[in-house]
Amino acid sequence: MNKIKQGDQVIVLAGKDKGKEGKVTKIFPNNKVLVQGVNQAKKHQKGNPNAGVTGGIIDKDMPIHISNIALLNPQTQKADRVGFKFLDDGKKVRFFKSNQELIDA
């Protein structure tokens, strides 16, 4: 079980987009994640009239290392560390270390 999952709201801790918030859209196996609206690059895209794709310069989200992001605690609106614990029924869940609040109950 990973500390950060797809769909989590995260905040960037380091890099050019430090302080930005976004949703994790994809997790790659080499410890990189794709966060919506973070680490954007300009891509020159060629148009294709058969597929209905218009050409031009588009903004594309690029992967960021998982160590440069942290899970966003919705109650404090700050970055928070994540821990694991087992419930009474044996289910493994994540929790915020600052206030012991369960993330996925």
Side-chain angles (χ1 to χ4, degrees):
M1 180 179 246
N2 293 329
K3 293 186 177 186
I4 295 177
K5 290 183 175 180
Q6 187 171 335
D8 284 344
Q9 191 71 20
V10 295
I11 188 166
V12 180
L13 300 176
K16 67 176 183 175
D17 294 323
K18 181 178 179 179
K20 282 190 180 178
E21 298 174 11
K23 193 179 229 181
V24 175
T25 55
K26 188 171 182 182
I27 298 180
F28 297 103
N30 58 349
N31 290 331
K32 296 210 176 206
V33 294
L34 206 59
V35 181
Q36 186 177 5
V38 173
N39 197 22
Q40 290 189 333
K42 301 280 187 189
K43 181 179 188 304
H44 296 258
Q45 184 171 350
K46 186 175 180 181
N48 187 351
N50 295 334
V53 177
T54 58
I57 301 172
I58 61 167
D59 286 329
K60 182 179 179 185
D61 292 334
M62 299 300 287
I64 187 170
H65 199 269
I66 202 164
S67 66
N68 294 332
I69 61 172
L71 209 57
L72 187 70
N73 193 335
Q75 289 162 345
T76 61
Q77 291 298 314
K78 292 184 180 178
D80 209 343
R81 296 190 308 162
V82 179
F84 295 105
K85 63 181 168 185
F86 290 95
L87 297 179
D88 294 334
D89 61 351
K91 185 179 178 187
K92 187 177 180 181
V93 293
R94 301 180 296 164
F95 71 97
F96 290 116
K97 292 226 177 172
S98 64
N99 57 359
Q100 306 298 314
E101 185 78 26
L102 292 180
I103 298 172
D104 35 30

